[in-house]
Amino acid sequence: MKRRPGIEADPVDCNRQEIRFLERRLLLKGALSLGALGLLTGCDVTDEETVHRVLWNMSRWNDRVQMALFDPKRLAPTYAQSAITRPFPFNAYYRESEAPVVDGDSFRLELGGLIRDRRPWSLAELNTLPQSTQITRHVCVEGWSAIGKWSGVPFRTFLERVGADLSARYVGFKCADDYYTSIDMATALHPQTQLTLRFDERTLPRSYGFPMKVRIPTKLGFKNPKHVMAIYVTNVYPGGYWEDKGYNWFAGL
Amino acid sequence: MRAGMRTGVIAVCLGLAGHASADQTQAPAGTGQPMNPDEPMEGGMMKPGMQKADVRKSAEKKAEQMKEMLEKEAESMPPMPEQAPHAH
């Protein structure tokens, strides 16, 4: 509507835009309050499955944010030999005496998914690849941490050697104790991510993951699988045992 | 008799020395004991009611879910140009 010159603008008309914003704000506020109430009261407003779905989606969103913030060149702190925790704690979903016994001679690391050369690797063959050593801190989600010395093959070197699709999204691991987990490709290619074959200058002990573990000092301990028997590269979200139970998947430090 | 014992001792010592310098692919000492799958899980990450057998069940379910897609992805990969042995 055209306004005649000299006549002041209708105050309601002038503030219409502002009123519209205010209404939107109130609507948003109401929706958020209802949402919060829904989460607090759980089953009263909505069913448990819906709440789980919302929380799951929030956790996956959290993963995406962490992935976006992850700096593939930023190194985890390293420590002096004197800082190594002795004895290094054992931690698993079973007792130390129940750790799996894997025969090193017949062990063959299986490969799958988006990898060109999927022939299995023996321990002797893995030992011929270039090795590196790190003294880094293992941080457990349970609230403790310990410093250890790990040696093995930089994971990037291995992935390049077997012709893995480095543009894929995930790398998954299957273990002799049935545990399974997965990581993002950026972390897999991080310079400190390692196929660990030795601990504190000796063959990786059974308690710490013989014949091979994956050491990832940029992630929480449950993302560092022990007794690794198979590795696969994929674009399908593989999750993990604890991750599927609600623990955060990215779990970065 | 003494000579026989000496030979035996030497044989045992040689055996131990051989074992100590054995291939590094040998598992460190420890035979382990079988896991009781019906026991509650150890550690602070578990929730009440979780049993050790839950991990195997979840792993089998996951493997089944991923199997088809992993096979398709593997088939989509071109072979390596050369198939040299892994070891150099």
Side-chain angles (χ1 to χ4, degrees), chain A residues 113-115 118, chain B residues 68-79:
Chain A
L114 296 165
I115 293 176
R118 293 183 296 281
Chain B
E68 197 182 338
M69 186 50 75
L70 285 177
E71 282 171 0
K72 275 185 189 166
E73 286 183 328
E75 281 168 19
S76 73
M77 292 300 285

Side-chain angles (χ1 to χ4, degrees), chain A residues 47-63:
Chain A
D47 58 285
E48 202 178 325
E49 199 183 317
T50 311
V51 174
H52 277 157
R53 206 178 312 130
V54 170
L55 292 173
W56 170 259
N57 286 333
M58 280 169 70
S59 186
R60 293 297 295 132
W61 182 80
N62 186 317
D63 287 334

Side-chain angles (χ1 to χ4, degrees), chain A residues 2 28 30 33 92 119 164:
Chain A
K2 240 180 173 180
L28 266 173
S33 303
R119 287 177 298 165

Side-chain angles (χ1 to χ4, degrees), chain A:
Chain A
M1 196 173 104
K2 240 180 173 180
R3 205 176 304 283
R4 269 183 248 162
I7 295 178
E8 274 189 12
D10 180 356
V12 174
D13 201 30
C14 263
N15 293 325
R16 189 159 288 151
Q17 188 89 359
E18 212 165 304
I19 289 166
R20 208 175 295 141
F21 279 138
L22 188 66
E23 280 171 351
R24 267 189 221 159
R25 243 176 271 151
L26 282 170
L27 181 72
L28 266 173
K29 206 172 152 189
L32 283 174
S33 303
L34 185 67
L37 184 71
L39 287 174
L40 281 173
T41 54
C43 300
D44 290 338
V45 173
T46 180
D47 58 285
E48 202 178 325
E49 199 183 317
T50 311
V51 174
H52 277 157
R53 206 178 312 130
V54 170
L55 292 173
W56 170 259
N57 286 333
M58 280 169 70
S59 186
R60 293 297 295 132
W61 182 80
N62 186 317
D63 287 334
R64 284 193 288 276
V65 172
Q66 286 191 70
M67 280 169 83
L69 294 175
F70 179 69
D71 181 352
K73 288 178 186 159
R74 188 169 161 265
L75 299 179
T78 54
Y79 300 87
Q81 186 97 6
S82 57
I84 294 172
T85 308
R86 290 192 174 94
F88 193 85
F90 169 83
N91 195 36
Y93 71 90
Y94 42 80
R95 286 185 291 274
E96 189 167 1
S97 58
E98 297 173 322
V101 178
V102 179
D103 175 29
D105 289 333
S106 60
F107 167 78
R108 295 291 180 275
L109 176 67
E110 301 287 334
L111 302 178
L114 296 165
I115 293 176
R116 294 175 77 183
D117 185 356
R118 293 183 296 281
R119 287 177 298 165
W121 284 70
S122 72
L123 213 41
E125 288 168 338
L126 287 166
N127 274 303
T128 63
L129 293 175
Q131 313 274 316
S132 67
T133 295
Q134 58 175 273
I135 301 177
T136 48
R137 185 182 290 277
H138 173 103
V139 181
C140 181
V141 72
E142 293 169 14
W144 56 268
S145 72
I147 294 170
K149 184 176 186 178
W150 289 274
S151 305
V153 184
F155 197 28
R156 173 189 273 272
T157 303
F158 180 77
L159 290 173
E160 287 172 346
R161 180 79 167 73
V162 296
D165 179 358
L166 304 184
S167 67
R169 297 178 72 183
Y170 309 106
V171 182
F173 309 98
K174 294 179 187 174
C175 308
D177 56 6
D178 297 318
Y179 185 69
Y180 59 98
T181 189
S182 61
I183 57 171
D184 53 297
M185 183 57 83
T187 299
L189 300 176
H190 185 274
Q192 288 172 309
T193 301
Q194 181 190 76
L195 286 185
T196 303
L197 301 165
R198 297 175 69 74
F199 178 80
D200 207 6
E201 292 174 13
R202 58 199 165 112
T203 301
L204 190 66
R206 183 166 66 88
S207 300
Y208 303 150
F210 183 84
M212 195 187 82
K213 73 169 274 156
V214 177
R215 174 70 192 132
I216 311 173
T218 54
K219 285 193 186 294
L220 285 168
F222 73 91
K223 304 295 294 188
N224 290 239
K226 298 186 284 188
H227 317 284
V228 174
M229 304 299 280
I231 295 175
Y232 59 91
V233 174
T234 181
N235 280 317
V236 183
Y237 174 71
Y241 179 72
W242 290 117
E243 296 88 330
D244 294 347
K245 297 277 179 278
Y247 283 86
N248 182 242
W249 176 75
F250 193 86
L253 292 172

